[in-house]
């Protein structure tokens, strides 16, 4: 056992960060896999430095482009400050993927045979505060008569289980495809990047938890954006992608509000 | 859908009650199924008044004898203020029994096909605050150099699935049987009530969640007491049972501390 009831110590700080809290835009950006930081008390979960810096720990580049979108769209951004290896905030506690024993090709020793106290601690310390904060922000905006559109920002690895992925930008949705449809229309028949619907993941993979929890349950338009992380290796790549996504989102939002 | 993200309204009050908070005794009493109250926003979950007052909604008499034990043992008592029909605080979120679609012979329409937002709301509003409070109390006592022994108090129905149960008092434990063993020894070969180990439920039924979460994870001695609820129909019955259990606990505690 690597963790105890109080998995976040004072030195770790809060589980959640909220940036651009006073933003006036209608988009609320969410980045569940923003960080590869592990709580001090988690140790290294039995993983190598290579694994701890890989896509299994976080979505490389996702927070950077989310911050660019936060500026370009004047949007509040909610990000999880700890690695999904401890708790994947895009999964409910009942999902085996919330505290995975294995991720892609990596075994995660520190997640084997978690007892109820460890599962509880991670859920209570990382999952619940994250989604409570998002729910509170949406409720405040609603009380103030402000519309909210939920946009979650992710990145994916170009090679998964040894297979190369051709898709560059995934526009993902669950049962409410309004914004995704509008963004795909905006992307047009010959987009600048290879853009696909519900690739490389879709709702059948359980990746739409945040969309369902805060978007579908309240009727908010919503979308999940997935960017192939080899396009986010340097500042120029991130800027180009953020600029492209800003255009898709602005045009998509215009289409669904008209 | 019967519930939304904010399932507890201001009129409902807190999920948790703590009684005798300044008690000096080493026992910490927990009553997960103390109440049959439903949050206002839960409606009636599609159940009849008969079902809503039956053992599927709560453990009749359990809070009453827990309060008597709180006095006789000078013990702090933590109780859940809402019915286990909405969230059973003796189950983790990943257990189907946490928000059951069926309980004994009763179908629970309001728990069918719960979406992620409803599951999240119940978990965040009822389960996490309840166990956070217990964990905080144990941590405070530990910081103050005080020992804690965890005792959970339950009642069970005399007839289950049409079968009569002969056992009157169950002494339940998980992997740590220190206190249960001592209480069973104290009960002796011809106890005043029919006392049995891990009856009518045991760890294989998933009923030791609270014991595992707060007792086993921290090495605290712990036991779960189950009393047949037909013995708790009137004040005299409750007094007699509380007095009997006080004796068993005092003798058991004496045996494990010596």
């Amino acid at each position: 056992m690597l963790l105890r009831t109080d998995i976040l110590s004072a030195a770790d700080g809060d589980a959640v960060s909220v940036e651009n809290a006073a933003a006036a835009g209608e988009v609320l950006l969410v980045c569940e896999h923003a960080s590869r930081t592990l709580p001090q008390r988690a140790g290294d979960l039995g993983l190598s430095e290579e694994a701890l810096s890989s896509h299994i720990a976080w979505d490389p580049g996702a927070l950077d482009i989310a911050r660019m979108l936060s500026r370009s769209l004047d949007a509040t951004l909610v990000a999880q400050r700890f690695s999904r290896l401890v708790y994947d905030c895009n999964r409910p506690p009942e999902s085996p993927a919330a505290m995975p024993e294995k991720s892609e090709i990596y075994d995660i020793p520190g997640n084997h045979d978690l007892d109820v106290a460890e599962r509880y601690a991670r859920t209570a310390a990382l999952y619940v505060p994250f989604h409570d904060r998002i729910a509170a922000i949406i409720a405040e905006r609603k009380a103030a008569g402000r519309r909210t559109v939920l946009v979650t920002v992710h990145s994916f690895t170009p090679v998964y289980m040894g297979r190369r992925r051709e898709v560059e930008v995934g526009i993902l949705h669950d049962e409410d495809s309004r914004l995704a449809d509008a963004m795909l229309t905006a992307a047009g028949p010959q987009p600048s990047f290879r853009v696909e619907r519900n690739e490389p993941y879709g709702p059948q993979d359980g990746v739409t938890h945040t969309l369902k929890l805060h978007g579908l349950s309240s009727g908010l338009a919503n979308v999940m954006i997935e960017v192939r992380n080899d396009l986010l290796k340097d500042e120029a790549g991130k800027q180009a992608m953020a600029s492209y996504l800003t255009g898709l989102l602005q045009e998509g939002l215009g289409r669904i509000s008209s």
Side-chain angles (χ1 to χ4, degrees), chain A:
Chain A
M1 269 183 291
L2 296 166
L3 300 176
R4 284 295 181 183
T5 304
D6 42 353
I7 70 158
L8 290 186
S9 55
D12 288 319
D14 284 344
V16 192
S17 81
V18 179
E19 302 183 15
N20 208 0
E26 66 189 350
V27 167
L28 177 63
L29 295 160
V30 171
C31 203
E32 300 99 323
H33 305 150
S35 170
R36 65 189 189 93
T37 303
L38 291 171
Q40 290 188 5
R41 291 181 183 150
D44 62 8
L45 299 174
L47 291 169
S48 67
E49 182 49 41
E50 181 219 342
L52 289 173
S53 57
S54 78
H55 70 94
I56 71 163
W58 65 323
D59 286 354
L63 180 61
D64 295 327
I65 55 169
R67 283 178 167 153
M68 292 172 183
L69 292 173
S70 171
R71 284 191 291 274
S72 63
L73 300 167
D74 194 19
T76 296
L77 164 61
V78 181
Q80 169 58 245
R81 292 189 58 249
F82 295 95
S83 170
R84 66 173 161 198
L85 289 169
V86 183
Y87 193 104
D88 183 337
C89 281
N90 197 26
R91 295 292 193 290
E94 59 269 28
S95 165
M99 297 168 253
E101 296 196 356
K102 196 171 176 185
S103 180
E104 203 210 356
I105 58 172
Y106 298 92
D107 182 55
I108 307 170
N111 287 352
H112 281 209
D113 302 320
L114 294 178
D115 67 16
V116 295
E118 285 195 28
R119 296 184 61 86
Y120 174 80
R122 296 181 185 201
T123 304
L126 298 168
Y127 174 73
V128 169
F130 184 73
H131 288 292
D132 268 2
R133 190 70 69 90
I134 297 170
I137 291 170
I138 293 171
E140 272 172 37
R141 293 157 67 114
K142 189 178 175 190
R146 286 181 61 190
R147 184 181 168 202
T148 295
V149 173
L150 181 68
V151 177
T152 69
V153 181
H154 293 253
S155 73
F156 63 93
T157 181
V159 178
Y160 187 78
M161 296 288 194
R163 289 191 58 177
R164 174 88 202 161
R165 287 159 158 174
E166 298 302 328
V167 57
E168 295 179 314
V169 176
I171 305 295
L172 283 65
H173 60 82
D174 202 280
E175 289 176 13
D176 177 354
S177 66
R178 284 177 291 166
L179 181 54
D181 291 344
M183 289 173 71
L184 288 161
T185 300
Q190 293 189 302
S192 318
F193 293 97
R194 183 156 173 175
V195 180
E196 293 184 20
R197 180 193 299 269
N198 283 337
E199 290 291 345
Y201 306 106
Q204 71 284 359
D205 303 304
V207 300
T208 53
H209 180 63
T210 298
L211 299 188
K212 290 195 284 185
L213 189 49
H214 300 288
L216 274 73
S217 71
S218 308
L220 308 183
N222 62 85
V223 74
M224 174 175 176
I225 298 173
E226 282 273 13
V227 178
R228 208 173 67 199
N229 71 32
D230 58 333
L231 301 170
L232 307 176
K233 287 225 158 123
D234 56 30
E235 190 67 14
K238 291 172 192 169
Q239 290 284 3
M241 183 55 68
S243 173
Y244 178 67
L245 294 174
T246 297
L248 281 194
L249 279 163
Q250 285 175 332
E251 195 171 333
L253 291 167
R255 287 175 180 271
I256 63 170
S257 68
S258 61

